[in-house]
C-alpha cells in the first residue's frame, strides 16, 4: 500500500487560519526530545500536525488542525500539550461535517 | 451591570440546540454561544439522524429540515483483508412514513436546527469562544468569552461543548479524559451522481443504505468503520479507541486509505470526488465513564457528558434527549421559582436515569472493558469467519463434512474450546445485563 499524504486530504478543507496565534503549544519541547520515547502525537494526529524531526524534537504546525483533541488526550503521560480552542470564527470550517 | 440571562447554552451542536430550543420555546431568556462561523461549521458526525429524538423536540421537523435519505437497509459486515461476511436487513416497514432514520449532513442540519432556536426567541451568537466559566465560590454564574467585554451572566449554564469539553475540566468538575474512553474517527465525504448511488446500492430516490463494519478494517484495534449513503454523496470513515491508536504505528489517514482500498468498499466509491476530510473524537467510555453532570448553576449535556451508546452507534439522539431534559429541568425550576442549586438540579440526573439514555448505557456498562480485554474480536474472529465462509463457498471436490471439520479445527487452534466458550459467555452476559 502506498503511503498517503495527509496534505492532499487537508487541501480539500476550508480553514480560516489565525495567523501567528496557534491555539495549541508544546509546553516544553525538551521534554518531547529527551523524555518521550513514543512520540505518539506524530502518528495519531489525524492532520499530521506533529512532525518528528531528525534530532528527536517534535515540531507542531497547527494550520491544518481538525480540532479533534486527540493530541491533548493521548499525551497523558507527559501532559505536554497546552490546548485551547481557536478564537471564535477561526480554524477549520467544515462544509459538510 | 451586564445583561443577565436565564440560561447560557455553550455550543450549537445537537445537545446545545435541543437545550436552547426547548428553553427558548418555553419563554426563557436564552443566550447560546457557538465558536464556529455558523452553527454546524465545527461539528462532525457520520451522520445518522434518529427521528424519534428530534420529533419529541420539533414534531414537524420533516417539513423543513435538510434531510438526505431515509434508511431502508442496514448491512453489517465483518471484514478480512480481502473479503467480508455480512448480513443485510432491508425493510419495507422502514420505507413507510413517518421514516425512522435519515442520513444528514451536519453542517446543513445544525444550521437549520439553530434557525429554529432563533425563531423560538433564543439569542444565538457565533464566532465566539467561551474561554472559562465565571464562578462565585462553587457556583457557576456565567461565562467568559473571547469578545471584548465578553463576560455574560446567567442563572444556569448548560455545557454542550462536545467531547473535548474543556470548560468543565478547567473548572475542576471532572478528571481528564482517558484514552481508553475515547475513540478517534476519521471520515471523508465522496460525491457521486445521485443515479449512480441509487443503482450501486439498489435503492430508489430518497432511500438509503448504511453499512456498519467491524473486523480487520481497524487493523486489530478496537473500533468500527461505516459507510452511509447521502443524496449525492457517500460518507465513510473508521474509528478506533485512542488507547489502541497509541500502541501502534498506523496513522488515522493511512487506516482510512486502507479502508477505501478494500475490495469490498473500493467499487462503492469508484469514480467519486472527495470533498472533505474530517476527524472527530467520540466518547465511548460508556456508563462507567459518565462524569458528574450537574452542580451549582450548571448542567452537562451531549458528548461532553459521555452520552454515547457505542454498541449501537447512537450519539446524536442521546445528545438531543439530554439537552432537552436539561432544559426541561431548568424550565420546571424556573416555573416553581426555585434556584439552580446542585440540590435542585439533582432532578436532571434523576430524569436521565429514568430515560432510555441511562438505561441503555447502564445495560452495556461492561462492554467497553470486555472489548478492551479481548482483542480477538477485532483480529482472530473476523479472519476465522471469513476463512470459514470461503471454505464453504468454494467448490473444490472436498466433501462438506471434511470442510466443517477443517473450520472447527481452525477455530479451536486459534482460540481453544475454553477460549471460544469464554468469549461467547462474556458477550452473552454483557448483552443480557440490565
Amino acid at each position: 500500500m502506498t503511503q498517503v499524504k495527509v496534505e492532499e486530504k487537508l487541501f480539500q478543507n476550508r480553514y480560516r487560519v489565525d495567523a501567528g496565534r496557534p491555539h495549541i503549544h508544546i509546553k516544553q519541547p525538551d521534554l518531547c526530545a529527551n523524555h518521550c520515547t513514543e512520540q505518539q502525537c506524530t502518528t495519531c494526529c489525524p492532520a499530521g500536525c506533529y512532525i518528528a524531526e531528525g534530532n528527536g524534537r517534535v515540531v507542531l504546525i497547527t494550520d491544518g488542525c481538525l480540532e479533534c483533541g486527540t493530541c491533548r488526550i493521548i499525551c497523558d503521560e507527559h501532559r505536554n500539550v497546552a490546548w485551547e480552542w481557536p478564537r471564535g470564527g477561526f480554524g477549520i470550517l467544515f462544509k459538510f461535517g | 451591570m451586564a445583561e443577565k440571562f436565564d440560561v447560557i447554552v455553550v455550543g450549537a451542536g445537537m445537545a446545545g440546540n435541543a437545550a436552547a430550543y426547548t428553553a427558548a420555546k418555553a419563554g426563557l431568556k436564552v443566550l447560546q454561544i457557538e465558536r464556529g462561523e455558523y452553527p454546524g461549521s465545527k461539528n462532525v458526525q457520520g451522520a445518522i439522524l434518529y427521528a424519534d429524538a428530534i420529533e419529541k423536540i420539533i414534531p414537524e421537523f420533516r417539513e423543513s429540515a435538510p434531510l438526505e435519505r431515509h434508511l431502508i437497509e442496514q448491512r453489517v459486515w465483518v471484514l478480512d483483508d480481502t473479503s467480508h461476511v455480512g448480513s443485510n436487513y432491508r425493510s419495507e416497514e422502514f420505507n413507510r412514513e413517518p421514516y425512522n432514520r435519515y442520513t444528514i449532513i451536519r453542517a446543513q442540519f445544525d444550521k437549520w436546527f439553530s434557525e429554529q432556536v432563533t425563531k423560538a426567541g433564543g439569542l444565538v451568537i457565533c464566532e465566539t469562544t467561551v474561554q472559562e466559566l465565571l464562578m462565585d465560590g462553587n457556583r457557576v454564574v456565567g461565562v467568559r468569552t473571547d469578545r471584548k467585554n465578553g463576560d455574560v451572566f446567567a442563572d444556569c449554564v448548560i455545557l454542550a461543548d462536545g467531547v473535548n469539553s474543556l470548560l468543565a475540566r478547567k473548572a475542576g468538575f471532572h478528571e481528564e479524559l482517558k484514552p481508553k474512553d475515547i475513540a478517534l474517527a476519521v471520515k471523508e465525504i465522496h460525491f457521486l451522481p445521485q443515479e449512480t448511488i441509487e443503482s450501486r446500492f439498489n435503492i430508489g430516490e430518497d432511500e438509503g443504505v448504511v453499512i456498519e463494519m467491524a473486523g480487520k478494517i481497524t487493523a486489530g484495534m478496537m473500533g468500527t468503520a461505516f459507510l452511509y449513503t447521502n443524496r449525492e454523496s457517500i460518507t465513510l470513515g473508521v474509528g478506533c479507541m485512542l488507547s489502541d491508536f497509541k500502541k501502534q504505528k498506523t496513522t488515522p489517514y493511512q487506516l482510512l486509505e486502507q479502508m477505501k482500498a478494500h475490495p469490498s468498499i473500493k467499487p462503492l466509491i469508484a469514480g467519486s470526488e472527495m470533498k472533505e476530510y474530517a476527524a472527530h473524537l467520540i466518547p465511548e467510555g460508556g456508563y462507567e465513564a459518565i462524569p458528574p453532570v450537574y452542580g451549582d448553576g450548571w448542567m452537562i449535556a451531549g458528548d461532553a457528558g459521555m452520552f454515547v451508546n457505542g454498541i449501537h452507534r447512537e450519539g446524536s439522539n442521546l445528545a438531543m434527549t439530554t439537552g432537552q431534559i436539561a432544559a426541561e429541568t431548568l424550565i420546571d425550576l424556573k416555573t416553581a421559582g426555585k434556584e439552580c442549586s446542585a440540590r435542585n438540579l439533582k432532578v436532571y440526573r434523576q430524569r436521565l436515569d429514568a430515560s432510555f439514555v441511562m438505561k441503555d448505557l447502564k445495560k452495556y456498562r461492561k462492554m467497553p472493558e470486555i472489548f478492551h480485554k479481548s482483542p480477538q474480536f477485532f483480529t482472530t474472529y473476523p479472519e476465522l469467519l471469513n476463512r470459514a465462509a470461503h471454505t464453504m463457498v468454494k467448490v473444490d471436490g472436498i466433501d462438506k463434512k471434511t470442510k466443517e471439520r477443517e473450520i472447527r479445527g481452525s477455530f479451536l487452534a486459534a482460540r481453544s474450546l475454553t477460549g471460544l466458550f469464554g468469549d461467547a459467555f462474556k458477550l452473552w452476559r454483557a448483552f443480557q445485563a440490565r
Side-chain angles (χ1 to χ4, degrees):
Chain A
M1 162 100 29
T2 51
Q3 291 293 311
V4 61
K5 282 203 171 70
V6 71
E7 293 81 0
E8 285 165 20
K9 292 184 186 292
L10 301 177
F11 182 72
Q12 297 297 329
N13 295 351
R14 187 174 156 237
Y15 294 94
R16 194 192 293 162
V17 176
D18 200 354
R21 292 179 65 155
H23 62 290
I24 309 173
H25 294 274
I26 294 174
K27 290 184 199 165
Q28 298 176 47
D30 288 345
L31 210 154
C32 306
N34 302 321
H35 299 284
C36 182
T37 50
E38 303 294 325
Q39 299 189 341
Q40 290 117 335
C41 52
T42 62
T43 306
C44 297
C45 171
C49 292
Y50 294 81
I51 299 149
E53 297 278 287
N55 56 6
R57 299 182 81 84
V58 175
V59 173
L60 165 63
I61 300 163
T62 58
D63 291 5
C65 177
L66 298 165
E67 297 168 30
C68 63
T70 296
C71 55
R72 191 177 80 79
I73 295 166
I74 60 158
C75 192
D76 57 342
E77 286 152 50
H78 303 289
R79 297 253 178 260
N80 202 26
V81 179
W83 207 103
E84 293 291 336
W85 293 111
R87 281 196 295 160
F90 288 96
I92 179 89
L93 295 164
F94 290 113
K95 297 170 285 182
F96 309 103
Chain B
M1 180 71 188
E3 204 178 352
K4 195 180 167 202
F5 293 84
D6 289 326
V7 59
I8 294 171
V9 178
V10 184
M14 289 293 193
N17 284 340
Y21 177 82
T22 306
K25 193 115 206 304
L28 263 53
K29 199 175 168 192
V30 178
L31 172 66
Q32 187 178 23
I33 305 173
E34 161 60 40
R35 65 192 182 86
E37 179 184 42
Y38 58 86
S41 64
K42 294 291 185 182
N43 303 343
V44 176
Q45 196 199 341
I48 303 279
L49 175 78
Y50 302 96
D52 180 71
I54 181 78
E55 206 164 16
K56 286 189 169 120
I57 299 164
I58 304 178
E60 67 286 359
F61 79 96
R62 290 181 179 87
E63 289 165 23
S64 57
L67 306 168
E68 293 286 307
R69 291 174 180 275
H70 65 268
L71 171 82
I72 64 155
E73 180 175 322
Q74 167 137 353
R75 303 180 191 170
V76 179
W77 286 0
V78 179
L79 296 100
D80 193 354
D81 287 325
T82 54
S83 62
H84 75 265
V85 177
S87 68
N88 280 13
Y89 175 65
R90 186 181 263 246
S91 165
E92 204 41 38
E93 210 176 315
F94 268 137
N95 205 8
R96 276 201 289 269
E97 294 181 82
Y99 303 122
N100 181 261
R101 292 162 76 167
Y102 299 86
T103 46
I104 52 167
I105 289 173
R106 282 290 299 270
Q108 294 163 7
F109 184 85
D110 292 13
K111 199 187 269 178
W112 169 86
F113 202 170
S114 179
E115 282 162 12
Q116 313 312 307
V117 176
T118 308
K119 279 184 196 161
L123 176 61
V124 182
I125 296 181
C126 293
E127 300 198 315
T128 305
T129 302
V130 174
Q131 293 169 316
E132 59 184 304
L133 297 173
L134 296 172
M135 310 289 294
D136 179 7
N138 283 331
R139 190 183 158 75
V140 172
V141 293
V143 300
R144 174 156 293 161
T145 71
D146 62 354
R147 291 203 172 210
K148 207 177 170 194
N149 303 319
D151 289 3
V152 264
F153 298 88
D155 292 332
C156 187
V157 175
I158 295 178
L159 296 165
D161 53 339
V163 52
N164 191 19
S165 158
L166 295 184
L167 295 174
R169 171 76 201 107
K170 277 187 193 168
F173 297 158
H174 61 75
E175 297 194 343
E176 192 51 90
L177 298 170
K178 297 179 183 69
K180 75 171 177 62
D181 293 333
I182 306 288
L184 166 64
V186 284
K187 70 165 244 191
E188 287 179 359
I189 186 162
H190 286 251
F191 280 77
L192 280 166
Q194 197 171 324
E195 313 80 64
T196 309
I197 292 175
E198 285 160 11
S199 62
R200 233 171 240 190
F201 289 87
N202 191 20
I203 46 177
E205 207 182 336
D206 298 337
E207 298 170 354
V209 171
V210 311
I211 311 178
E212 306 283 357
M213 295 170 238
K216 292 190 82 180
I217 200 85
T218 54
M221 291 183 270
M222 171 176 167
T224 54
F226 64 90
L227 186 152
Y228 302 153
T229 54
N230 304 318
R231 190 165 295 277
E232 295 179 301
S233 61
I234 286 172
T235 50
L236 77 169
V238 55
C240 305
M241 301 309 290
L242 275 184
S243 47
D244 282 7
F245 256 126
K246 275 186 70 172
K247 284 185 250 164
Q248 51 83 60
K249 298 290 172 206
T250 310
T251 61
Y253 37 94
Q254 192 63 34
L255 195 66
L256 186 60
E257 236 23 55
Q258 281 165 25
M259 175 189 178
K260 280 156 55 187
H262 192 285
S264 299
I265 295 164
K266 199 175 175 184
L268 297 176
I269 54 167
S272 67
E273 193 187 347
M274 194 277 265
K275 290 201 175 173
E276 189 168 77
Y277 166 64
H280 192 62
L281 297 182
I282 308 168
E284 298 209 358
Y287 188 78
E288 307 292 347
I290 295 171
V293 293
Y294 67 92
D296 281 320
W298 59 275
M299 286 180 274
I300 292 179
D303 278 8
M306 278 265 167
F307 297 121
V308 165
N309 180 345
I311 297 293
H312 288 272
R313 324 303 310 147
E314 292 177 28
S316 61
N317 54 332
L318 281 69
M320 283 189 268
T321 301
T322 54
Q324 183 187 10
I325 294 175
E328 286 169 353
T329 306
L330 188 64
I331 294 162
D332 288 352
L333 288 186
K334 283 272 165 192
T335 309
K338 290 183 183 165
E339 58 160 11
C340 297
S341 61
R343 193 191 161 99
N344 290 337
L345 288 174
K346 193 172 183 224
V347 177
Y348 175 47
R349 173 74 201 213
Q350 288 165 347
R351 287 182 186 180
L352 291 179
D353 285 340
S355 73
F356 82 92
V357 174
M358 286 296 192
K359 284 180 184 169
D360 283 355
L361 289 175
K362 200 169 182 182
K363 174 173 165 61
Y364 296 124
R365 67 188 181 280
K366 292 204 166 75
M367 281 297 185
E369 200 198 338
I370 287 173
F371 283 132
H372 275 299
K373 286 184 179 163
S374 315
Q376 64 271 20
F377 287 119
F378 303 93
T379 52
T380 316
Y381 284 124
E383 205 154 349
L384 288 171
L385 268 178
N386 279 277
R387 287 314 301 164
H390 183 82
T391 305
M392 288 314 273
V393 171
K394 192 178 177 194
V395 175
D396 50 8
I398 297 171
D399 66 282
K400 302 295 185 255
K401 189 152 190 164
T402 305
K403 283 177 182 251
E404 276 174 16
R405 204 156 41 228
E406 189 189 321
I407 291 167
R408 201 176 306 125
S410 69
F411 272 75
L412 287 172
R415 282 297 294 157
S416 85
L417 202 57
T418 333
L420 288 171
F421 275 112
D423 289 342
F425 180 69
K426 269 189 287 189
L427 273 189
W428 173 78
R429 199 178 49 180
F431 271 103
Q432 288 299 307
R434 283 184 296 130

